[in-house]
Amino acid sequence: QTDEVVHIEFPARPRKRPRQMRSVALVEALKATGRELLEGHGREGLTVQELSERSGVAVSSIYEYYPTMESLIAAIFNDYRSEARREVVECIAALPPSAGLFEGILSLLRFGLGAVDRWARIDPQFNLKATYYEELVRLELVKSEHFWSAVAMPALMEKFAAEVLVHDREKAAFLAHHVLLAVPRAIVLGRPQYLGDEDTPHLIARMLYALLTTPAQAGGTKPE
């Protein structure tokens, strides 16, 4: 019997970064048009010819920045994640004064799982490749990048500081951060049908709520 080996491809990246204002505008036009085509017609609808016609950018200029359509898709997904980092903080800040820590966690999970589900539907093939790659990032096997949970959890713990009862807040934040990263990715890779289930955010929220509100036992003893 041979062990199964998973071959992980690194997602393609842009060829170079724009530096002049004209180049920045060109790249932004390509990403905006590419996003419209990808979301409206799927990967099959995102062709270099269609991209050139709709954006008004010559094919030669497209290849100067995006040698493949996947490199453009990677740039679009990077924008999705940047937007998610901003929006999740706004989501937490917008919680009503009557909300508690559990409601905050649940709101956070609904936002995060909803985003993961949308990305998976937009381009399942690229999203799967990116998910494998990001697991390597989480495990620090490749250079780390910014994740939405990295800004979400500190914001949540600050907003509901009075309800966070753990003695070691740094440890709790670390564990919660990796729960937010690892569990949704495990769902994407193993049980993608769970993403749309209404009870999925509730189940993960209970786990995180218990983590943040249960004081550590002295001496590491187990609770009875």
Side-chain angles (χ1 to χ4, degrees):
Q1 183 179 355
T2 58
D3 294 334
E4 261 189 60
V5 177
V6 176
H7 296 279
I8 298 176
E9 296 180 57
F10 289 180
R13 295 182 182 274
R15 190 186 299 276
K16 65 177 183 179
R17 292 181 180 275
R19 298 188 182 278
Q20 299 179 347
M21 290 184 62
R22 180 177 178 277
S23 300
V24 170
L26 182 148
V27 166
E28 289 301 318
L30 287 175
K31 288 196 295 182
T33 305
R35 182 169 177 166
E36 180 183 336
L37 289 169
L38 187 64
E39 293 177 357
H41 306 283
R43 178 178 280 235
E44 296 76 13
L46 180 56
T47 64
V48 69
Q49 291 80 10
E50 191 71 18
L51 181 65
S52 177
E53 289 178 11
R54 293 206 183 196
S55 65
V57 177
V59 171
S60 58
S61 296
I62 294 175
Y63 285 133
E64 185 178 350
Y65 291 96
Y66 300 109
T68 65
M69 284 300 96
E70 180 167 295
S71 64
L72 174 58
I73 293 170
I76 292 168
F77 269 65
N78 281 340
D79 285 350
Y80 287 153
R81 289 172 174 82
S82 296
E83 291 165 9
R85 288 195 297 272
R86 293 193 301 269
E87 290 169 5
V88 73
V89 174
E90 295 171 359
C91 175
I92 292 169
L95 288 168
S98 59
L101 176 60
F102 184 80
E103 288 81 8
I105 295 171
L106 187 58
S107 178
L108 173 64
L109 284 164
R110 283 174 173 161
F111 173 89
L113 290 172
V116 171
D117 191 28
R118 285 194 302 276
W119 300 339
R121 292 174 188 276
I122 289 169
D123 190 335
Q125 179 183 343
F126 180 84
N127 189 68
L128 191 63
K129 181 185 292 187
T131 300
Y132 275 119
Y133 172 77
E134 287 165 0
E135 267 301 278
L136 297 183
V137 173
R138 185 181 70 85
L139 297 172
E140 298 184 350
L141 299 177
V142 297
K143 184 178 178 181
S144 180
E145 297 175 358
H146 297 295
F147 296 117
W148 64 271
S149 57
V151 296
M153 189 49 61
L156 197 69
M157 291 179 69
E158 181 180 353
K159 186 176 182 70
F160 300 104
E163 291 189 63
V164 179
L165 304 179
V166 291
H167 174 69
D168 192 335
R169 294 171 66 92
E170 184 178 349
K171 179 188 286 186
F174 174 84
L175 294 174
H177 169 66
H178 282 276
V179 167
L180 286 173
L181 286 177
V183 174
R185 289 186 190 148
I187 294 173
V188 170
L189 298 175
R191 296 290 188 277
Q193 68 273 21
Y194 292 170
L195 281 175
D197 290 349
E198 291 185 6
D199 65 337
T200 299
H202 284 268
L203 293 171
I204 304 173
R206 289 175 186 171
M207 179 167 51
L208 287 170
Y209 184 76
L211 168 66
L212 296 175
T213 60
T214 305
Q217 298 293 311
T221 56
K222 294 181 180 179
E224 297 180 0

